[in-house]
Amino acid sequence: MKETSAGTQAAQIPKQRTEPLLDSAVRYAEERHWDVLPGTWLEAVDGVDRCSCGDRACLAPGAHPTRPDWTTAATGSAVAARALWSRQPRASILLPTGRTFDAIDVPETAGFLALARMERLDVTLGPVTCTPDRRMLFFVLPGAGAKVPDLVRRLGWAPSTIDLSVRGEGDYVAAPPTRFGGSGAVQWARRPTAVNRWLPDSDELAAPLAYACGQEVREARP
């Protein structure tokens, strides 16, 4: 039996006060010293949310960089962030990974299962996001991309067989309250606080996350 259902999972996300994208972007830069990058946004076209990039087949509508040199356009300055979002208040908030943090990306069901186990064991956790496409991203120290595949192998899984990946250098994540895909907004499952300012190493989270993803694989087998 699964430890959580979809309804229980939704209940585990605290109700959150929605604030403007500008205020959130400034706060991330000012309080967490995260680099922030304004991305695309959603626009209503014929009653349907479309990506501002204009591509009807966009793979990440409303939440991807607007320029190819986006890695150089991100800023860690709260003043610069305020100016950027003042020019385009609807721009999504993208956080480049591989700088102050990496993110371990897992399915929502596995993420909540692992989260419950880690909380029972008092494992140190950083911020965790829950996305509209039913993914959860666990923030960890940079360098996870080079370590996690080997950690997963040592746990007895081939990395290609479980739905677990790492967002590291050259990648990014969408931050709350960014909306994308027309199905809702990114939310904090565990929001940034003074308590989780110091991020865990991927070694601490890899085992429970891999186990939860592996359990999904086992349950999917006939």
Side-chain angles (χ1 to χ4, degrees), residues 7-211:
T8 303
Q9 292 166 5
Q12 290 182 27
I13 301 177
K15 290 185 178 180
Q16 299 171 22
R17 177 177 61 86
T18 301
E19 63 182 359
L21 290 157
L22 182 152
D23 291 345
S24 295
V26 170
R27 182 163 49 82
Y28 296 149
E30 189 169 56
E31 296 180 7
R32 299 298 289 206
H33 305 294
W34 290 338
D35 284 357
V36 294
L37 173 76
T40 55
W41 57 92
L42 293 175
E43 296 180 331
V45 179
D46 298 327
V48 178
D49 284 332
R50 304 284 188 190
C51 187
S52 61
C53 71
D55 182 358
R56 287 180 173 267
C58 180
L59 297 177
H64 65 83
T66 60
R67 45 194 281 189
D69 62 341
W70 65 268
T71 56
T72 62
T75 180
S77 163
V79 173
R82 184 173 296 280
L84 288 168
W85 270 270
S86 293
R87 289 197 289 270
Q88 181 43 261
R90 292 185 295 166
S92 56
I93 304 173
L94 307 181
L95 307 176
T97 48
R99 300 184 181 187
T100 52
F101 67 88
D102 283 357
I104 302 179
D105 182 341
V106 299
E108 182 183 86
T109 306
F112 275 115
L113 178 64
L115 189 60
R117 285 177 174 154
M118 288 189 282
E119 288 180 334
R120 285 199 302 272
L121 295 172
D122 201 24
V123 173
T124 299
L125 289 166
V128 182
T129 62
C130 193
T131 67
D133 56 351
R134 302 182 69 82
R135 308 291 299 182
M136 289 183 74
L137 293 102
F138 291 73
F139 288 25
V140 294
L141 289 171
K147 299 167 66 175
V148 168
D150 187 52
L151 290 169
V152 169
R153 289 189 194 94
R154 278 190 272 158
L155 292 166
W157 293 96
S160 60
T161 61
I162 61 174
D163 189 1
L164 181 154
S165 61
V166 176
R167 308 277 188 96
E169 187 175 358
D171 207 342
Y172 58 87
V173 299
T178 295
R179 293 177 56 246
F180 70 81
S183 56
V186 183
Q187 299 184 64
W188 290 113
R190 291 295 177 272
R191 65 170 53 254
T193 66
V195 175
N196 62 24
R197 180 172 295 278
W198 302 107
L199 298 177
D201 194 281
S202 54
D203 302 55
E204 302 171 61
L205 274 60
L209 289 172
Y211 175 83

